[in-house]
Amino acid sequence: MATNQTVCPAPMKATSNGAWQGENPLDYALPLAILQICLVVAFTRTLAFILRPLRQPRVIAEIIGGILLGPSAFGRSEKFLHTVFPAKSMTVLDTLANIGLLFFLFLVGLELDIRAIRHTGKKALGIAIAGISFPFILGVGTSVVLQATIAHGARPAPFLVFMGVSLSITAFPVLARILAELKLLTTDVGRIAMSAAAVNDVAAWILLALAIALSGTSSSPLISLWVLLTCIAFLIFAVFVIRPVLVLMARRSPDGEPVKEHYICATLSLVLAAGFATDCIGIHALFGAFVIGIIVPKDGPFAGVLIEKIEDIVSGLLLPLYFVSSGLKTNVATIKGAESWGLLVLVILTACFGKIVGTTVVSVMVKVPFREAITLGFLMNTKGLVELIVLNIGKDRKVLNDQTFAILVLMALFTTFITTPIVTAVYKPARKSKPYKHRTMQRNNLDTELTILACFHSTRNIPSMINLMESSRGTRSRGLCVYAMHLMELSERSSAISMVHKARNNGLPFWNMKRPDHDRMIIAFEAYQQLSNVSIRPMTAISALHSIHEDICTSAEQKRVAIILLPFHKHQRVDGMMESLGHGFHLVNLRVLQKALCSVGILVDRGLGGATQVSAKDVSFDITAFFFGGRDDREAVAYGARMAEHPGIVLTVVRFLPKPGKSLMGIHKNGDQVIESGILVDDIEEKKADEEFLSQLKGTYKESSIKYEEKVVGGREEIIEKMKSLSRSNLFLVGRMPPAAPLLDRSNTDCPELGPIGSYLASSEISTPTSVLVIQQYHPSMNHNLIDHPALADEKDDQDNDMSV
């Protein structure tokens, strides 16, 4: 007797015995998963590289990559689909993708500071409410149209909520990336957009939880009610039971000490346990992970260490699998016929209209300028990963069919893709400031206020920078204003979003006077400001290292700065050797030297004044300025003369003169040509300017504070000998490009930003605790492309090619 039986495929074994044993590794779960991960990462990163000129966030490349690997493109080949993404492997792929998603939502929760959301201003709150409610209402109307056409049989209540949520979401992480790329993160528009997006994000998760509760398989409304009540009970348990445990672990992880391994393990286990609990409740495992991330204390190093431990493997390897898992469910071919394409256009227009018009109207009502209001509308229209999460849950819960799912995925892709180009075209913040006169330290009127932009990477740079500020304040009626700029790298890592919480309007770091956890860096500058008559104004630059020089130079121009002070990209180890912080920081200094419209100083820090701030009465520094001639050396001595006004500082100006018939310029051969190293100068004019400057210096300052001596030298060895005899000084001042021969062989120096003399003083060849300040004077006719570095040469070629196109 024949019977109809469904034959289930045998489960995949984990590992194979290898190809030499006659087995195909792709028939086994582990090697197939490895191939899938490698293919997905390589493909999406290649797409991200291709889309980089369009300044698109990486999530766009990952969404497109997922769609292309699915049945919409490459997956149309049955052989490819059955070989790389066979149906029997989808359980393993989806499991890995959802584990990655679980921990990514934990990271998102870590980076959302509820306290910051509580302090959201009325303006941002009103914009957020409008950005949610108006598109949600339009989404409800769109759901009626879709149900009448392509979504027959969909349950009305969950379908309505899913449509409303999908149209009203703003992707907080993606928006942070776009704002950073467009240099808007620390502007008024950026601050309002991020505050509104944070509120929107929390509201979206609450609505999604409601949608999931309503989308259960049971038709009884009591079941949905029990799901919601159990969810509320879980939230209460998390806040009042789990949070105190996390707070205790955070308190036992003080700054400067490594976080204990069992604390990390316990927290990550809590994430999984919470995911299991919420999955049992029926509202998806990712909500448990998100809640744990929200309640983890944000103070201290605990949250940061958690992010560092998991973000690379989650964001780099596991999360892209989620986009492919989504892409394998997306078949663009299901959108066919005039009706389907018309519905796609309707959904896109509805989503854009709801977000843009709703946000713009309310923004104008709260007195945001119209152009900024339009910009906010397009920024709040950003979708991304959060949108895909909503759509995939709807697809898995049978709320969205294949055609509706594909339409909504394309809508999310389109709305995010257009954000950057439209915002760039609509909103161009005024970055140029009025022209100003004092762009250098050397000036005729010595009683004018001196404005300095002092940059720092970390707390390591702060003591020396503050001691340098104290030395620079002078005693005349003129004042000193210092803009202390914290340079924060915005990397591809998701944790970079946490920097947003430290940014306010005009670039000030985010801190609230009611909160006890002030930024330690800000405390240091605030303390110094209270103990001196120096005006300190903290700032923050949040950008990728390849473009952060734009923030520095633009801020210097807007703040009418005379000199930019940058930390050298190397720091001195205990054994005296110089250790690099990274090539990216090196290139930042090179680019600032090329682009800055004021003088620039690079501080090679060897502990100026020690590891702590020196009070004014305890300052006792010996500063030596080496003078070979030229405008950079004059600028260095002018800075030293300013320092010499401090009662605790003595400046020694050492002028090097060549022996009769000799030159301090170095001679080297390039093929058949004999070239003088250094900068090309008009000897007569420069020598005249040098003599006038030194004569004025001697007549202006007291001999007790400035000592002047001349040293006639015959070559490199005598210069080095004299410099070594002054190695007990606290600080060396030197121009970047004096007309002098390099003291190091060209093959031994990789620091063109320090020039021929500064490179030697900063090298490990001279054993001295003396810090070095290398200064380049701004001059309108100066050739900023004197720096010889392959990376910058490639950069210039790219710019020239762009201009030629």
Side-chain angles (χ1 to χ4, degrees):
M1 182 177 176
T3 58
N4 294 327
Q5 293 182 346
T6 301
V7 179
C8 297
M12 297 180 74
K13 293 182 180 179
T15 59
S16 72
N17 292 319
W20 294 113
Q21 301 290 335
E23 295 182 347
N24 183 0
L26 297 184
D27 290 334
Y28 296 83
L30 180 61
L32 182 58
I34 292 173
L35 174 66
Q36 290 171 341
I37 293 172
C38 293
L39 174 65
V40 168
V41 171
F43 189 65
T44 55
R45 290 300 174 116
T46 302
L47 281 176
F49 178 78
I50 294 172
L51 292 174
R52 185 180 297 174
L54 300 178
R55 303 175 78 177
Q56 293 294 331
R58 198 173 74 193
V59 66
I60 289 291
E62 290 170 331
I63 294 175
I64 294 175
I67 293 175
L68 292 179
L69 289 173
S72 301
F74 296 120
R76 297 179 73 87
S77 167
E78 295 288 334
K79 185 174 182 181
F80 171 82
L81 202 61
H82 291 163
T83 303
V84 183
F85 298 105
K88 59 185 178 181
S89 73
M90 294 312 296
T91 301
V92 176
L93 179 67
D94 286 344
T95 302
L96 287 173
N98 278 280
I99 288 176
L101 181 66
L102 197 75
F103 282 105
F104 178 79
L105 265 295
F106 170 65
L107 292 176
V108 173
L110 276 176
E111 293 166 345
L112 271 177
D113 193 343
I114 295 297
R115 293 173 304 185
I117 295 175
R118 284 206 308 264
H119 294 296
T120 299
K122 294 180 180 178
K123 184 183 294 186
L125 184 62
I127 292 171
I129 293 173
I132 297 170
S133 56
F134 195 40
F136 190 92
I137 293 170
L138 291 180
V140 172
T142 307
S143 69
V144 175
V145 177
L146 293 178
Q147 279 185 299
T149 50
I150 62 173
H152 297 292
R155 285 170 287 169
F159 186 76
L160 180 150
V161 179
F162 268 103
M163 284 298 301
V165 172
S166 64
L167 266 64
S168 60
I169 270 180
T170 296
F172 180 83
V174 180
L175 179 59
R177 174 73 50 200
I178 291 174
L179 288 170
E181 289 290 334
L182 297 178
K183 304 292 183 187
L184 299 177
L185 201 55
T186 55
T187 63
D188 193 38
V189 168
R191 179 184 64 81
I192 295 174
M194 289 310 300
S195 298
V199 175
N200 191 303
D201 216 28
V202 173
W205 289 115
I206 295 172
L207 290 172
L208 182 57
L210 174 63
I212 293 175
L214 293 173
S215 63
T217 55
S218 175
S219 58
S220 172
L222 286 176
I223 299 298
S224 299
L225 179 61
W226 277 113
V227 170
L228 287 175
L229 291 176
T230 315
C231 178
I232 294 171
F234 170 78
L235 290 175
I236 294 172
F237 179 81
V239 172
F240 292 102
V241 178
I242 300 178
R243 177 173 167 75
V245 176
L246 294 170
V247 169
L248 181 64
M249 289 191 289
R251 286 177 180 171
R252 293 185 176 181
S253 305
D255 287 335
E257 295 184 13
V259 177
K260 294 179 181 178
E261 185 271 341
H262 58 269
Y263 288 171
I264 302 293
C265 182
T267 306
L268 299 184
S269 299
L270 267 177
V271 173
L272 295 174
F276 175 78
T278 51
D279 192 77
C280 291
I281 292 171
I283 56 168
H284 206 284
L286 61 86
F287 280 97
F290 182 69
V291 169
I292 297 298
I294 288 283
I295 65 175
V296 168
K298 306 302 188 289
D299 307 330
F302 188 62
V305 171
L306 287 172
I307 291 172
E308 291 176 3
K309 292 289 184 182
I310 64 175
E311 68 177 344
D312 287 331
I313 190 169
V314 169
S315 299
L317 292 182
L318 298 180
L319 194 60
L321 294 180
Y322 191 79
F323 291 98
V324 172
S325 176
S326 176
L328 292 172
K329 301 172 188 174
T330 307
N331 190 355
V332 179
T334 59
I335 307 174
K336 53 186 176 182
E339 181 183 73
S340 294
W341 286 105
L343 290 173
L344 173 62
V345 174
L346 173 66
V347 170
I348 291 175
L349 290 178
T350 304
C352 294
F353 183 83
K355 274 286 186 185
I356 296 169
V357 173
T359 303
T360 302
V361 169
V362 175
S363 299
V364 171
M365 290 173 62
V366 295
K367 299 182 179 179
V368 174
F370 182 74
R371 181 166 291 189
E372 294 183 10
I374 289 285
T375 304
L376 281 171
F378 280 102
L379 289 172
M380 294 296 290
N381 197 35
T382 304
K383 309 295 183 186
L385 176 61
V386 182
E387 173 82 359
L388 283 190
I389 294 171
V390 173
L391 299 181
N392 276 280
I393 292 175
K395 181 83 161 53
D396 295 337
R397 297 273 173 147
K398 310 297 183 184
V399 177
L400 306 176
N401 60 23
D402 291 343
Q403 195 170 357
T404 308
F405 180 79
I407 286 175
L408 292 175
V409 168
L410 291 182
M411 178 271 293
L413 181 63
F414 178 81
T415 55
T416 306
F417 191 90
I418 65 171
T419 300
T420 298
I422 290 182
V423 170
T424 304
V426 171
Y427 184 65
K428 296 178 181 178
R431 296 189 178 275
K432 293 185 178 180
S433 60
K434 297 179 181 179
Y436 63 99
K437 182 178 180 182
H438 299 298
R439 298 175 183 267
T440 63
M441 296 296 301
Q442 185 184 351
R443 56 187 68 177
N444 294 324
N445 185 1
L446 299 179
D447 288 322
T448 53
E449 182 184 56
L450 174 63
T451 305
I452 295 176
L453 177 62
C455 303
F456 59 95
H457 302 137
S458 64
T459 53
R460 182 197 300 271
N461 309 128
I462 291 179
S464 294
M465 277 293 180
I466 290 182
N467 291 334
L468 189 60
M469 296 302 99
E470 171 61 28
S471 305
S472 308
R473 64 184 177 89
T475 56
R476 296 171 180 261
S477 59
R478 56 183 173 172
L480 173 63
C481 178
V482 178
Y483 291 92
M485 176 176 279
H486 186 189
L487 305 180
M488 304 179 74
E489 179 187 5
L490 186 75
S491 66
E492 287 292 336
R493 292 172 149 195
S494 60
S495 65
I497 302 164
S498 61
M499 296 178 184
V500 173
H501 299 305
K502 296 183 179 180
R504 287 177 63 196
N505 182 26
N506 78 356
L508 289 176
F510 183 92
W511 84 91
N512 190 296
M513 298 305 293
K514 297 179 181 178
R515 291 173 54 183
D517 56 325
H518 287 194
D519 193 308
R520 288 182 301 160
M521 300 182 187
I522 304 306
I523 291 175
F525 285 108
E526 285 181 336
Y528 172 61
Q529 181 173 244
Q530 292 174 1
L531 296 173
S532 67
N533 61 351
V534 178
S535 175
I536 303 287
R537 301 179 186 178
M539 302 175 68
T540 304
I542 307 174
S543 290
L545 287 184
H546 66 81
S547 63
I548 201 167
H549 67 282
E550 297 175 8
D551 300 65
I552 298 171
C553 296
T554 300
S555 297
E557 182 76 3
Q558 291 177 337
K559 306 302 183 184
R560 307 170 74 84
V561 165
I563 186 169
I564 300 170
L565 296 179
L566 300 167
F568 189 45
H569 74 281
K570 295 181 181 181
H571 66 90
Q572 190 174 39
R573 300 188 314 209
V574 177
D575 60 2
M577 299 296 291
M578 300 298 290
E579 183 179 44
S580 176
L581 298 175
H583 186 58
F585 293 108
H586 183 199
L587 294 180
V588 170
N589 291 354
L590 291 169
R591 294 186 183 110
V592 173
L593 284 167
Q594 281 192 329
K595 307 295 184 182
L597 297 178
C598 62
S599 293
V600 179
I602 297 177
L603 177 64
V604 182
D605 181 19
R606 291 192 175 106
L608 178 62
T612 59
Q613 176 189 336
V614 179
S615 62
K617 63 182 179 61
D618 295 330
V619 170
S620 180
F621 292 160
D622 288 323
I623 298 176
T624 302
F626 297 119
F627 189 88
F628 294 86
R631 61 169 64 98
D632 288 352
D633 277 13
R634 294 197 295 272
E635 184 76 353
V637 173
Y639 197 165
R642 166 88 187 206
M643 292 179 171
E645 295 179 7
H646 196 292
I649 292 178
V650 175
L651 172 69
T652 302
V653 180
V654 180
R655 185 182 187 185
F656 290 96
L657 297 171
K659 291 182 178 179
K662 299 286 186 178
S663 173
L664 294 177
M665 296 291 285
I667 306 295
H668 67 278
K669 287 187 176 182
N670 183 11
D672 296 331
Q673 295 181 334
V674 177
I675 303 173
E676 276 193 317
S677 65
I679 55 174
L680 299 177
V681 296
D682 186 334
D683 286 343
I684 298 177
E685 291 297 324
E686 285 298 315
K687 288 179 180 178
K688 181 179 178 182
D690 290 343
E691 296 299 335
E692 290 179 354
F693 172 75
L694 292 175
S695 175
Q696 183 182 12
L697 179 75
K698 296 173 187 176
T700 305
Y701 294 93
K702 299 177 182 179
E703 292 185 3
S704 58
S705 59
I706 297 182
K707 299 178 181 179
Y708 175 82
E709 60 180 83
E710 294 181 351
K711 181 69 176 178
V712 178
V713 292
R716 174 177 178 272
E717 289 74 16
E718 293 185 27
I719 296 175
I720 291 177
E721 181 182 353
K722 179 60 178 176
M723 288 181 171
K724 286 184 175 180
S725 69
L726 297 167
S727 61
R728 292 188 177 182
S729 299
N730 299 97
L731 179 67
F732 287 145
L733 292 173
V734 63
R736 191 179 81 83
M737 292 302 293
L743 304 184
L744 289 173
D745 294 334
R746 181 171 288 271
S747 59
N748 292 337
T749 179
D750 58 350
C751 304
E753 71 273 26
L754 299 183
I757 307 301
S759 296
Y760 172 74
L761 294 174
S763 70
S764 302
E765 293 192 17
I766 177 170
S767 179
T768 174
T770 308
S771 298
V772 183
L773 183 60
V774 180
I775 297 179
Q776 171 183 279
Q777 186 184 66
Y778 167 73
H779 194 272
S781 62
M782 184 173 60
N783 181 6
H784 289 280
N785 295 316
L786 289 171
I787 299 175
D788 181 19
H789 195 279
L792 296 186
D794 294 341
E795 213 172 65
K796 185 176 186 300
D797 291 340
D798 293 340
Q799 293 172 357
D800 293 342
N801 292 335
D802 293 341
M803 291 175 66
S804 64
V805 173

